[in-house]
């Protein structure tokens, strides 16, 4: 997911997207731990997307304080 796509979303939509990614990360982590999948590279992609969402949320917080 692009940061530009996230910036167009509202705060509740961003929060929902974050929850979905966290659930997907947990699920994938369990699959890797039990050796049910070999998609270990997906974990890194999920982590980066989660970090991207946290960054956008922080930007929005700073914009709100600045106004």
């Amino acid at each position: 997911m692009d940061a530009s796509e996230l910036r167009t979303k509202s705060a509740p939509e961003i929060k929902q997207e974050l929850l979905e990614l966290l659930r997907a990360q947990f699920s994938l982590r369990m699959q890797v731990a039990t050796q049910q999948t070999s998609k270990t590279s997906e974990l890194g992609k999920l982590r980066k997307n989660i970090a991207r969402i946290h960054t956008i949320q922080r930007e929005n917080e700073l914009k709100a304080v600045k106004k």
Side-chain angles (χ1 to χ4, degrees), residues 24-33 37 39 42-43 46:
Q25 181 188 29
F26 177 78
S27 175
L28 189 58
R29 222 172 47 226
M30 291 299 113
Q31 288 176 8
V32 169
T37 187
K39 297 181 182 178
E42 291 294 317
L43 279 173
L46 282 172

Side-chain angles (χ1 to χ4, degrees), residues 18 21-23 25 45-55 57:
L18 177 62
L21 287 175
L22 289 172
R23 286 186 183 121
Q25 181 188 29
K45 292 175 186 175
L46 282 172
R47 287 180 58 221
K48 287 181 183 181
N49 283 332
I50 291 168
R52 191 172 290 125
I53 288 177
H54 283 299
T55 301
Q57 284 179 328

Side-chain angles (χ1 to χ4, degrees), residues 6 8-18:
L6 289 172
T8 61
K9 293 186 176 187
S10 65
E13 290 173 333
I14 292 173
K15 190 172 185 176
Q16 182 63 32
E17 184 72 28
L18 177 62

